[in-house]
Amino acid sequence: MSDDRHLRNKRQAYATLRELAAAPAPRIASVLKRAYHDDADWFGSHPLNELHGIAAIENVWLGMRRSFPDMERRDSILVGGEYQGADMVAAMGHYQATFAEDWLGVPATHGVVHLRYCEVHRYVDGKIAHTYALIDLLDLMRQAGVWPLPPSLGAEGMWPGPATGDGLRLSAGDGRLGEASRKAVLAMHQAMFDFDGVNLDSMDQAEYWAEHFMWYGTAGIGACRGMTGYQAHHQIPFLTAFPDRGGAGHYICIGDGEYVVTGGWPSVVATHTGGGWIGLAPTNKPVGMRVMDFYRTERGQIAENWVPIDMIDLLLQMGTDVLARLEHMRGNPRHSL
């Protein structure tokens, strides 16, 4: 992809998606028409899931507009690149808004919330043809005081943006640095599959991470710091629960300066044969995990990693219906099978 097209796509995405978030309901359709192809696909986290065409995408935005009427989009990271011949733009941040009306079963707080989003958009001829959007509905439940799971092992809270404050890549970047950053992340991925099932050192992960790196896990897992925290609060429980996990392929794997984005739908496949993860006993169920990873590298090592996962979809595959549990907590239990 040429640098000019790369830069144009990023700047267009940044402006258009901010406009879309702020648009009053009657204008949403026209903004979408300018931004998307008529037959675009939109893959969102559960219960939104896979949608087709502008009318279906509009319904998502109309629902958000009713629930978050003064919604303001705040991008922390916005990067672009080319993967397998496709032009991609990826963004991470939150919508700051007053939560005025229930949304997807989560009760309105009538106060300020920060709705976390992570997105990948595939551009064709200057318009979006395909969107992947992970919205952290579990974190919204936390903010609304209706947490439906056991306590997280990591620290929950609003994700900060990059420590360097340079996540919006809206100027021409260094292509060689982007490729070097991407290769560093892929080397870390490959090392993970060297795990011998017994010794964490068999993955030699310390080589790829900065000494005091931050790992920002999705709601239900939480954030942790440094290799000791990462292993204790995420890696050991995850490896114990999913010992046969494997990669399922990427729809994005791009580097833009010191930033890298990877993602799959699913990204990881596994069987839930061990206990302790998210407080659940083994279910022996096969699962596919919808995951994105946003990385910031520093001197060839990973300094920060933000990891959105579609937890509600994953837990549903494991037999835990979080949304049904939420309804029960709100006084609407099921009364029949």
Side-chain angles (χ1 to χ4, degrees):
M1 178 174 62
S2 73
D3 289 342
D4 287 346
R5 194 164 79 246
H6 180 176
L7 193 54
R8 183 175 66 246
N9 286 342
K10 289 193 291 184
R11 289 177 173 175
Q12 178 179 314
Y14 180 69
T16 303
L17 293 168
R18 285 168 64 89
E19 180 185 5
L20 184 58
R27 287 191 51 234
I28 288 175
S30 64
V31 178
L32 286 171
K33 185 75 173 175
R34 283 191 282 112
Y36 279 85
H37 289 277
D38 289 342
D39 61 349
D41 294 311
W42 193 94
F43 287 6
S45 43
H46 188 79
L48 299 170
N49 296 310
E50 299 176 7
L51 307 175
H52 181 74
I54 284 181
I57 300 171
E58 181 187 6
N59 283 336
V60 174
W61 284 99
L62 289 173
M64 292 180 69
R65 172 59 58 212
R66 287 191 296 270
S67 295
F68 310 104
D70 57 0
M71 182 167 63
E72 176 187 357
R73 181 181 174 102
R74 296 195 171 195
D75 292 305
S76 298
I77 296 174
L78 190 139
V79 297
E82 183 176 340
Y83 182 63
Q84 296 183 339
D87 295 353
M88 318 291 284
V89 175
M92 185 204 84
H94 63 270
Y95 296 108
Q96 183 169 276
T98 302
F99 191 5
E101 183 177 309
D102 294 5
W103 190 59
L104 301 179
V106 182
T109 65
H110 304 284
V112 174
V113 293
H114 300 90
L115 182 62
R116 184 184 299 158
Y117 63 81
C118 297
E119 303 166 349
V120 172
H121 307 281
R122 179 166 59 87
Y123 273 77
V124 175
D125 298 329
K127 284 189 171 185
I128 300 171
H130 200 128
T131 288
Y132 295 92
L134 294 182
I135 299 174
D136 200 335
L137 196 60
L138 263 182
D139 190 62
L140 185 64
M141 295 179 195
R142 177 188 66 82
Q143 294 175 67
V146 286
W147 185 251
L149 297 173
S152 303
L153 298 181
E156 294 288 1
M158 189 175 77
W159 284 354
T164 47
D166 60 354
L168 300 181
R169 310 290 295 179
L170 299 178
S171 58
D174 182 337
R176 288 176 298 179
L177 178 58
E179 182 60 15
S181 299
R182 193 179 75 92
K183 286 181 177 179
V185 167
L186 290 179
M188 182 275 292
H189 286 185
Q190 185 58 48
M192 282 186 166
F193 291 105
D194 293 336
F195 182 47
D196 62 9
V198 178
N199 186 354
L200 291 176
D201 291 338
S202 64
M203 291 184 283
D204 198 22
Q205 285 291 291
E207 174 183 348
Y208 304 102
W209 298 84
E211 182 180 3
H212 298 300
F213 72 89
M214 281 300 304
W215 191 89
Y216 303 105
T218 194
I221 300 175
C224 45
R225 183 169 177 83
M227 189 56 65
T228 300
Y230 172 66
Q231 290 176 340
H233 302 318
H234 170 62
Q235 194 173 45
I236 290 173
F238 185 82
L239 291 173
T240 301
F242 304 104
D244 68 346
R245 90 265 186 267
H250 291 140
Y251 59 78
I252 185 172
C253 182
I254 63 169
D256 188 345
E258 292 184 312
Y259 290 85
V260 177
V261 179
T262 66
W265 198 273
S267 177
V268 177
V269 291
T271 311
H272 182 220
T273 56
W277 188 73
I278 317 296
L280 297 179
T283 64
N284 297 311
K285 293 181 179 291
V287 298
M289 305 179 194
R290 303 167 175 175
V291 184
M292 298 179 193
D293 275 275
F294 287 72
Y295 299 91
R296 182 181 68 82
T297 66
E298 196 171 273
R299 294 185 291 276
Q301 292 184 306
I302 300 165
E304 295 181 277
N305 183 196
W306 299 261
V307 190
I309 303 173
D310 189 350
M311 290 292 288
I312 295 178
D313 174 71
L314 175 57
L315 289 167
L316 189 61
Q317 295 176 64
M318 294 161 63
T320 297
D321 188 336
V322 172
L323 297 180
R325 184 172 177 82
L326 178 60
E327 279 296 295
H328 192 117
M329 292 169 63
R330 298 188 65 195
N332 300 303
R334 292 172 56 182
H335 292 288
S336 69
L337 293 175

